[in-house]
Amino acid sequence: MNADKSHCQFYVYIRVKLGKSAIEIHEELITAWNSDVPSLITVQHWIKEINDGARIGLVDATRSGRPRSSRTYKRTSSVRELIDDNPYLSSHDLAQQLDSDHSKILRILRADLEL
């Protein structure tokens, strides 16, 4: 059985409230789920958040900022249109025409367009 992150966080939360140390908690997690558990450093980080009051619930906080993905529908459609117009364009040409990184264009071609 795999150790689900939310199960581990709940277990850590309860054990912290009972006064257990990070090492004790981590060893108990390993005993319960073998080696498929968060690292000791992760457990220590969770304990610090619990003790500082930063981690009130078990759900990770939403994060602001730009999404990591640049593979938007608009960008993917643009790549598809350029390829339909000229199937002999190289990935470098596509990147230059769309003012994008070559690696992002490659991801669109392989993952989204399956080319």
Side-chain angles (χ1 to χ4, degrees):
M1 178 178 165
N2 290 345
D4 181 76
K5 180 180 175 182
S6 62
H7 291 134
C8 289
Q9 288 176 332
F10 179 73
Y11 187 83
V12 169
Y13 183 82
I14 296 298
R15 300 309 278 174
V16 166
K17 294 302 178 187
L18 293 173
K20 298 293 182 179
S21 72
I23 294 174
E24 288 174 307
I25 295 169
H26 189 253
E27 288 173 354
E28 291 171 355
L29 288 170
I30 291 172
T31 300
W33 285 295
N34 295 318
S35 62
D36 188 27
V37 295
S39 67
L40 176 60
I41 291 172
T42 299
V43 171
Q44 291 170 333
H45 178 73
W46 289 347
I47 291 172
K48 182 178 183 323
E49 287 181 339
I50 291 166
N51 290 334
D52 292 346
R55 181 171 292 276
I56 297 168
L58 297 177
V59 179
D60 287 337
T62 57
R63 298 176 182 161
S64 63
R66 182 173 174 240
R68 295 188 72 194
S69 177
S70 64
R71 292 171 20 213
T72 61
Y73 176 77
K74 182 179 177 183
R75 174 82 44 139
T76 303
S77 297
S78 298
V79 171
R80 169 54 75 195
E81 288 175 17
L82 287 171
I83 291 172
D84 288 345
D85 290 343
N86 184 358
Y88 299 105
L89 281 174
S90 70
S91 56
H92 290 284
D93 293 336
L94 291 169
Q96 186 177 24
Q97 287 186 27
L98 295 172
D99 192 31
S100 182
D101 292 337
H102 180 248
S103 61
K104 292 176 184 175
I105 297 299
L106 287 176
R107 267 188 242 117
I108 290 171
L109 290 171
R110 291 178 185 151
D112 298 331
L113 301 177
E114 298 177 355
L115 298 175

